[in-house]
Amino acid sequence: MTRRKQTTILWTAAGLVLSLAVLLVVLSGLAGQLWITDAAGIPQAADSVMRCIQDGNWNELESFVVGEPELEPQTGEENTAENLIWDAYRQSIQWRCNDGYTVQGGQVIQKITVSCLDISELTRSLKKILPEITDGTVNMSADHALKAAAEEVLRGDIPMMQKDIRLSFVRKNGQWQIVPDSALLS
């Protein structure tokens, strides 16, 4: 085979490979799917999201969420039972990114294991201790009694719960952003 034929065959093969690659990109775009070639940074993005939740850094968290919604929770007045419980819950959050990730429909799914205060157990403990705190006290307001009960319960040993959740990420403007769903809300 002559050198000219070899060169022609090589250029033809390179053109076919390039054409096939272009065709795959076009077809994936038409199907509405993203072609994710590098999902590096997903565990770090999941870690950043969870750290923002734990620290109560809602402004930074908004930059990690698709659509940048306003996320700061309305927790009422300072120094109430509600705020005590919310702060204890937030600070109890611990997480671990599980190995690997999956790609589904243009989103990268990262599984994480979250541990936090068991709110249902905390509520049961509040219901149990509240009558003891208000027993014999005539002038104690409901807010004050609830705060005292919350302080008492939080001093004790509240059981933790553990749950595996899936966080969905998409790449927007060069940054991984989380897609808000029920996993994040729970």
Side-chain angles (χ1 to χ4, degrees):
M1 191 180 283
T2 66
R3 187 154 183 77
R4 188 177 189 123
K5 278 187 175 182
Q6 288 176 339
T7 305
T8 303
I9 290 172
L10 284 175
W11 279 108
T12 303
L16 286 173
V17 168
L18 181 61
S19 297
L20 182 60
V22 168
L23 180 63
L24 286 173
V25 169
V26 169
L27 289 177
S28 68
L30 291 175
Q33 303 295 316
L34 294 176
W35 205 9
I36 298 172
T37 57
D38 182 19
I42 288 291
Q44 293 83 358
D47 189 55
S48 295
V49 166
M50 296 304 294
R51 192 169 317 286
C52 286
I53 292 170
Q54 184 182 48
D55 295 342
N57 189 346
W58 308 113
N59 291 329
E60 186 178 348
L61 179 61
E62 290 169 4
S63 71
F64 287 108
V65 178
V66 171
E68 297 183 12
E70 191 171 317
L71 298 174
E72 189 163 356
Q74 303 298 318
T75 56
E77 297 177 26
E78 295 245 351
N79 206 17
T80 62
E82 180 183 9
N83 276 337
L84 287 174
I85 293 169
W86 174 246
D87 286 343
Y89 176 78
R90 212 176 21 79
Q91 292 170 7
S92 75
I93 296 173
Q94 297 177 4
W95 63 94
R96 182 184 88 252
C97 290
N98 299 334
D99 291 338
Y101 52 84
T102 58
V103 178
Q104 288 180 332
Q107 296 180 356
V108 178
I109 311 297
Q110 173 70 57
K111 292 181 182 176
I112 65 172
T113 302
V114 178
S115 299
C116 58
L117 284 178
D118 187 339
I119 295 296
S120 60
E121 274 302 312
L122 186 127
T123 303
R124 279 194 267 296
S125 297
L126 275 173
K127 286 179 181 178
K128 199 166 153 183
I129 200 168
L130 196 55
E132 295 172 17
I133 290 194
T134 58
D135 188 36
T137 307
V138 176
N139 295 331
M140 186 178 281
S141 71
D143 290 339
H144 183 62
L146 192 55
K147 182 180 175 211
E151 288 171 343
E152 181 69 28
V153 168
L154 291 172
R155 275 193 291 266
D157 192 24
I158 303 296
M160 301 283 280
M161 66 177 282
Q162 186 171 336
K163 185 174 185 177
D164 291 329
I165 62 172
R166 299 166 34 140
L167 299 178
S168 303
F169 289 90
V170 294
R171 190 172 288 283
K172 297 276 187 182
N173 302 323
Q175 174 186 353
W176 287 111
Q177 291 187 323
I178 192 165
V179 178
D181 61 4
S182 61
L184 180 62
L185 295 175
S186 69

